[in-house]
Amino acid sequence: MAEQPSKLFPVKPKLKSKPRTTNQTSESKYWSSFKTHQIPGLISVRSLSFSPTTGHPFAVVHSARLSIYSSETLSSISTISSFSDAVTGASFRSDGRLIAACEISGRIQVFDRNTRGPLRQLKSHTRPVYYVQFPLLDKLHLISGGDDALVKYWDVAGQTPISELRGHKDYVRCGDSSPINTDIFVTGSYDHTVKLWDMRVADRKSVMEVHHGKPVEDVIFLPSGGLIATAGGNSVKLWDLLGGGKLLSSMESHNMTVKSICVGKIGRDSGEESNQSRILSVGLDGYMKAFDYANMRVTHSQRFPAPLVSVAFSPDCSTRVIGSSNGIVFAGKRKTKEKEKEESSSTLFWRVAPVKQPRREVLKPSYYRYFQRGQGEKPSEGDYVVMRPKKVKLAEHDKLLKKFRHKEALVSVLGGKNPENVVAVMEELVARRKLMTCITNLDVGELELLIMFVQKYCTMPRYASLLFKVAKRVIEMRAEDIRASVSLRSHIRNLKRSVEEELQIQRSLLEIQGIISPLLTSAVRR
Amino acid sequence: MIRGGKNYVSAPPAFSNDAKRLLVCTGNTVTVFSTSTGLQVSALEGHTALVTSVIVEPASSPDKKILCNCWTASLDGTIRKWDFSTPELLQTVDILLPIFSMVIPSYLLSQREENNAKALDNFAYVSVEDKKAAGNRSKALCGQIRKCNLTKSQMSKLILKETKRPESLIASPSGNFVGIKNKRRLHIWKVPSVDSFSVASKNITLHHTKTFTCLAFHPIERIVAAGDGSGRILIWRGFGTQKFLVGGGVVKGRSADDEEEKPGVRDNDDAESCSTQHWHPSEVTFLSFSLDGAYLYSGGKEGVLVVWQLDTGKKKFLPRIGSPLLYFINSPDPSLSSISCAANQILVLKMPSMEILRSISGIKPPLSSKDICGGLAGRPAFDCNSGLVAVQTDNYTIQFYSLLDDRGLYEVQVCERNHQPGDEVTVVVTLVELSLDGSMMGTVEVKLPEEDIGGLICLKFWELDSDDKSFSVSTLIYEPHRDAKISAIAFHPARHMAVSSSYGGDFKTWVSKDEIKMIDQMTPNSGWTCHAVGSYKDKPMTAAAFSADGSVLAVAAETVITLWDPDKNVLVAIVGQSPTPIVRLTFAGNSDYLLYASHGSKPRLAVLRMSKLAECWSYKLQVEDLSYANDLSLFAVLALLPESNERTFGGDGIILLFNATDPIPVTSLSVTKAKGGRIAFIKGDRSSLKLEVLDGNPLQTLLAYINGDHEYVIFDPYGKEVRELSIIRRDDSSLEETGQYGYASLYGKLPEFNLKKSSFSLISSAPPEKPWEAIFPYSTHSLPQLDKLCSEFLESLTEKRVATVE
């Protein structure tokens, strides 16, 4: 029952009201940690794709060009411009050395990433081709889909289509290859269907078909390979392939057409959700949403100032790029901790560290360290630790208040940056019945500080109730000093202006209220 | 019956010779506490009025340290000698005058001169009040300082000094001097080495320009220190050189009026020098020299213990004790001492480091700022199931006090602010309310504005942590009803719902988020949110209550009662019409009766029947508190009596027990200090309280009454006679600590409980006044057809006659 006299309570600002739903979950914190960097000056970014090799450069397709950007610096490395028409899509090969790009003319070209020279030209589609992809871990083939409703499977070296897959009744605009099997891929078409193809099946017919209900804008395999997500209209739907194409869920939180989706992964360092996958979707409404398909809910939503048409997420979880229809690429880069980088680099290279033999020095009283020996000792398990009593850290104004030096406390806190603390000290002075005395005793320089503070913050709703009255009282009590000083007069003019502004705002708010309230009452009646 | 809540700091306590016991004057008894555990060991019962001093007979030699004799003096005019180890009464000296203070300097003296003092009688100096003597003269000097021979039980006729009021006596630790303060003077007597009645002691007087508040003698030298009302400490060195020193040939040689020789000494007083120290901002409340005389302890109203090093004037502090300090007592063990604080708390200090070892804490006294917040503010709240009472304190905490154990359990800091005792009160915890099961608490704190700037009202909801049994804040709401004050908080009996009503004309229903089905399990944020706001004709809402099943919410809108559906926030009915604002509202348990009490020029207690929405009966009574028993059909009323009737009832208040159906009270008890008092039915375990289980009455519900001074009594409302049962206290610490409990302080002056059955001339029956508006349950603008109204009108007339109390 040993009691100590009551603690010293420092003055505390009023608590802020908490929003009912905490908008910063650890996950949304993760997603908003991608600091957006704008890459302007492009024209309608139709497609974005990351290279699977380390460093993860990404290809941006815009008008009749294909630019490769470094995901480290977010600057352009190289540009391929040997196209005759607008480029519509691009894909890296699994080793990152080749890029395939398709264009409106229907031609597909394969480039060397480094030399930028066109290696192969695949001509067979008669209409624009919007989808081209190297199957995962397959270096020899290409999949493409065009507006002629055909899906083609190419032999790249021979520049010939191995098979032509028929079945779609409208433009094929998207597709994806399975992450677990090189022979399986899906394509989505404007005929509202997504078809699953298996190259091992002899009759060239689709193995499975799901009906999205809207023209399909994008389709992806989820990392497990058993699920696919389709985007079309304003919905993203999730299908179970292993369960026979069953619809698992539908996310309809976009207001306009969802143009593109990709798989995003939460990095290693963000708590519980680490290494989980999310579906990132972007739409013409300018929103990017992260969809947790395990729990079937949207976990993050972010708005961009343009209609978004493409999205890609780097495999190392460090970069996220979003392309907009007006030519801006919103590239988000996440700061990774040094440790992570080191870890990844150490797995790449063999390093032989020189074996160090720690030399034990005998400490002698002539060393400074001799007197400090044992001070850094950590207590072992069984030791009884006597804690040093925690020192209460007090702010300057708290120390002054403790000594009943009220005016100094007010001046010291006014010199600080935090308006909440100033208001808290003022409230404490009110509770001590000393605020009026303080105001009377302030000299002109300190009075200027106070008036500047009041002028700056008196229209903020949190402080208004106190500061308006304080302002009034200051003007009443120190009228002569204010009249005598030029700078004080100008501050008072500013104060007057901000009060007038506030009045104007109040008036217009009242007007709005007047407009809304009859609407509300009539709505309730109905 | 249990009494408790006594004042521990009405008089200075005393340490036993081995410093293991602390003897504390608690009302009519002296309670012995253990300094090592802080718990009660035993009690000395026998005095019939407030005990004013306790003196432990010092041990003359180390082997006599186990000697446990003490003297006590009381307002009942007796001095008693006790053996407090057994506890046993040894001797009684009756001097027939109320004693306000007593010192026995010969004890201290005989310590040194043991050989020749053995045969001598013990003389006590007492400060008594003689009303008779004062009545004869024009100047009312009723305080007297007299001597008393304890060995022969005789009182001396010699009056050493007369003062306006009885002053407290201070003896020097050496036993040579006895002093009192008397306004701006100090009177000091030298105790003769061989004392007797006839010896008129030598006497000097020291003067000052301000009123003295305390004094202390140096243990070795002739130094006296005195504190005054402005916080100054005056230290006279070598007082009484001329008068007291025997064979003062050297002294006589000095010239008496040599100013340079006597720096700081006023008015040719008999002292060598006088120095002044000033640290305390307000009144010095005690002074005490350390045992070796090197340090001076002083304490003030601001609650800081200051240690002065006498030679250098250096100071050391023990700040933030939290309430004005009253007494400082050194123990025979130099490492222990005690401070008594005005917050009914005794702190045992470990001395050189001034660490607080133990705190012996009684129930906190009522708020000093009660009148500031007005109305029903500052009243304690009850947790009926566990027998706890929550009391607001001046330093913004709430103390939870166990009524059944008579012990403080824990304190909750409501407002995190440094309390400066003695300053103007600007922040007050005005309301505290506990839910029925005691798991939730609502508090309201008010910050008063300075010249209309910066006032703030905070409503806080607290939740009980079931593990460590302490409350933690769950939700804080700034200005819940804008700047209007909150009149009441009421909790729903079963659910996490509460209502707060304000004088600003609205009430708000609050629900905890636990109540709302949480869709999102990810955020375990269990705060309280506003569920609904209601108002009735913009009238101030003055009281609120939930019905026992929680289906009806009653809110008093000044003079009428509005009944609401708490879930849908729909006005169900309007009942009652009181001439003056309603201040309390209670449903009478499970029955369908609603009680209300109104104050003002026409105070009134009325009972409404919910099934008929009509008034049954009413009394013209100034009701202080209402309480109902959940499982009984009883309710209890604490009413203030008009002053003219105080004599007949022997108290200023009366507790009435009613059956809701019957306007004739079941029992009535008259009580003292009813202003600011509260009553509640609490559940107590009879067997543990050593109350007899009456045959055919296995009920466990007891009635607790806590008066305006926070003394309380718990009794069985069904007991036909109020028995004086001393309760052996349950103890969980040590075996020896079974003691007896006695009177609360100041109860002895007046007979507290006069059972006055059927003597009910005072209470006049008032017919329920029903102005016409209250008859119809319709609002005036939508009155139905006349033929419909007619039947209701007639019904109301018949109802009225039935309801009238004969």
Side-chain angles (χ1 to χ4, degrees), chain B residues 10 160 195 207-208 217 250 252 347 357 441 456 534 649 798:
Chain B
S10 57
L160 292 175
D195 214 345
H207 296 83
H208 182 43
F217 289 99
V250 193
K252 269 176 194 164
L347 304 172
L357 284 180
M441 178 168 75
L456 184 70
F649 283 87
T798 53

Side-chain angles (χ1 to χ4, degrees), chain A residues 316-388:
Chain A
D316 66 349
C317 307
S318 69
T319 318
R320 179 203 62 200
V321 284
I322 296 169
S324 72
S325 67
N326 58 6
I328 299 169
V329 172
F330 300 99
K333 184 103 185 77
R334 189 160 184 273
K335 269 188 195 157
T336 45
K337 283 176 188 156
E338 294 298 314
K339 203 167 80 181
E340 269 176 58
K341 272 187 194 163
E342 252 172 47
E343 223 169 85
S344 56
S345 63
S346 66
T347 50
L348 288 173
F349 305 107
W350 277 79
R351 279 205 309 206
V352 182
V355 182
K356 270 188 203 160
Q357 197 66 262
R359 222 175 67 217
R360 290 192 71 90
E361 288 176 17
V362 179
L363 290 172
K364 289 175 199 153
S366 56
Y367 292 172
Y368 178 60
R369 267 173 56 210
Y370 176 83
F371 297 98
Q372 290 191 314
R373 67 197 191 283
Q375 282 184 7
E377 204 75 24
K378 294 275 185 309
S380 62
E381 195 115 321
D383 285 355
Y384 180 75
V385 184
V386 180
M387 296 300 282
R388 180 176 291 194

Side-chain angles (χ1 to χ4, degrees), chain A residues 16 165-166 179 239 294 404 428 440 475 488 497 507 509:
Chain A
K16 279 182 198 161
L165 305 168
R166 289 162 192 277
W239 310 85
F404 302 94
E428 175 62 26
T440 341
I475 295 168
L488 284 183
R497 198 174 309 130
R507 212 168 292 134
L509 280 176

Side-chain angles (χ1 to χ4, degrees), chain B residues 134-356:
Chain B
N136 302 337
R137 291 178 219 170
S138 54
K139 264 192 176 179
L141 296 171
C142 50
Q144 296 176 344
I145 308 295
R146 294 211 200 175
K147 269 199 270 187
C148 176
N149 188 333
L150 295 177
T151 321
K152 289 179 185 154
S153 308
Q154 277 176 327
M155 176 89 146
S156 154
K157 289 272 182 281
L158 184 75
I159 297 171
L160 292 175
K161 183 72 194 170
E162 281 182 315
T163 52
K164 202 162 189 180
R165 273 180 297 145
E167 295 287 349
S168 64
L169 279 160
I170 308 282
S172 75
S174 58
N176 286 323
F177 305 102
V178 170
I180 59 162
K181 58 180 200 300
N182 182 15
K183 288 190 210 154
R184 296 176 181 183
R185 281 188 287 276
L186 293 183
H187 302 290
I188 297 170
W189 290 270
K190 181 169 166 57
V191 178
S193 53
V194 181
D195 214 345
S196 72
F197 279 153
S198 49
V199 176
S201 311
K202 287 180 192 167
N203 168 13
I204 62 158
T205 305
L206 299 169
H207 296 83
H208 182 43
T209 50
K210 298 211 165 56
T211 312
F212 284 115
T213 53
C214 54
L215 80 157
F217 289 99
H218 194 275
I220 302 152
E221 295 168 54
R222 275 182 298 119
I223 296 176
V224 64
D228 71 10
S230 67
R232 289 184 179 82
I233 297 168
L234 287 82
I235 299 168
W236 283 274
R237 287 164 201 273
F239 63 86
T241 321
Q242 295 166 6
K243 212 161 183 183
F244 293 163
L245 275 192
V246 207
V250 193
V251 183
K252 269 176 194 164
R254 281 188 196 170
S255 104
D257 37 25
D258 189 353
E259 288 295 319
E260 278 112 60
E261 289 288 316
K262 304 197 313 183
V265 177
R266 204 173 275 282
D267 288 355
N268 207 2
D269 282 347
D270 189 5
E272 281 171 8
S273 71
C274 175
S275 60
T276 307
Q277 306 276 6
H278 197 172
W279 183 87
H280 291 281
S282 55
E283 189 182 321
V284 184
T285 49
F286 67 75
L287 285 169
S288 171
F289 284 94
S290 65
L291 288 178
D292 57 354
Y295 296 96
L296 174 68
Y297 301 100
S298 72
K301 233 178 160 183
E302 76 293 323
V304 180
L305 173 68
V306 185
V307 187
W308 305 81
Q309 198 173 8
L310 274 187
D311 297 335
T312 59
K314 277 183 184 164
K315 297 182 289 282
K316 231 173 96 183
F317 305 99
L318 177 64
R320 289 187 291 283
I321 295 172
S323 55
L325 309 179
L326 295 177
Y327 316 110
F328 181 89
I329 305 294
N330 277 317
S331 78
D333 180 356
S335 69
L336 276 185
S337 57
S338 84
I339 305 179
S340 303
C341 315
N344 205 3
Q345 197 176 24
I346 298 173
L347 304 172
V348 181
L349 299 185
K350 189 179 165 189
M351 224 25 233
S353 58
M354 296 202 288
E355 254 177 81
I356 297 174

Side-chain angles (χ1 to χ4, degrees), chain B residues 57-80:
Chain B
E57 202 169 298
S60 45
S61 57
D63 55 307
K64 284 188 180 169
K65 269 206 170 170
I66 45 162
L67 196 70
C68 294
N69 289 346
C70 70
W71 290 90
T72 58
S74 156
L75 290 183
D76 63 1
T78 57
I79 301 172
R80 293 176 195 231

Side-chain angles (χ1 to χ4, degrees), chain A residues 15-18 20, chain B residues 414 440-445 457-464 471-480 489 491 496 498 510-514 524-530:
Chain A
L15 299 175
K16 279 182 198 161
S17 67
K18 247 191 275 174
R20 294 229 178 134
Chain B
V414 174
M440 291 172 286
M441 178 168 75
T443 60
V444 176
E445 65 198 58
I457 295 168
C458 286
L459 171 66
K460 279 179 182 166
F461 287 106
W462 303 73
E463 248 142 59
L464 187 69
F471 277 96
S472 57
V473 101
S474 142
T475 309
L476 194 166
I477 302 144
Y478 294 112
E479 309 205 312
I489 307 173
F491 279 96
H496 285 248
W510 307 89
V511 287
S512 170
K513 279 242 180 87
D514 306 341
N525 185 1
S526 66
W528 290 73
T529 47
C530 184

Side-chain angles (χ1 to χ4, degrees), chain A residues 3 9 12 14-15 431 473, chain B residues 356 359 416 418 426 451 478:
Chain A
E3 288 180 27
F9 296 110
K12 264 189 228 155
K14 277 194 209 169
L15 299 175
R473 194 51 63 93
Chain B
I356 297 174
S359 136
E416 294 203 336
N418 302 314
T426 55
E451 297 181 27
Y478 294 112

